[in-house]
Amino acid sequence: MKSRRGLVLEVEDGGVYALDVDRPVAGLVGQRVTVEGTRSGFDRLDVEWIGPARPRGDPDT
């Protein structure tokens, strides 16, 4: 989702992370995603890769 802080990831357990992303990801806003990156602060992730999440129950997850 977008916020005043930029892009924000809400995780299922209730956590919220600000994302530092250096590529366009507007098409993923509002969707379930998988994020790979490095935690760079208490609530910040430096994103190396982000893409659509696999559906729940997918045997490859």
Side-chain angles (χ1 to χ4, degrees):
M1 84 179 196
K2 288 189 122 179
S3 77
R4 292 182 308 178
R5 295 172 42 188
L7 291 174
V8 174
L9 174 71
E10 294 180 344
V11 294
E12 290 179 347
D13 69 1
V16 177
Y17 292 90
L19 302 179
D20 287 330
V21 184
D22 60 359
R23 70 177 188 95
V25 295
L28 297 172
V29 173
Q31 296 184 39
R32 290 179 48 85
V33 295
T34 299
V35 177
E36 296 177 4
T38 305
R39 191 170 177 178
S40 60
F42 175 75
D43 64 348
R44 185 161 295 277
L45 295 173
D46 292 334
V47 176
E48 294 175 23
W49 182 86
I50 185 170
R54 290 187 176 152
R56 290 179 187 231
D58 186 329
D60 291 332
T61 57

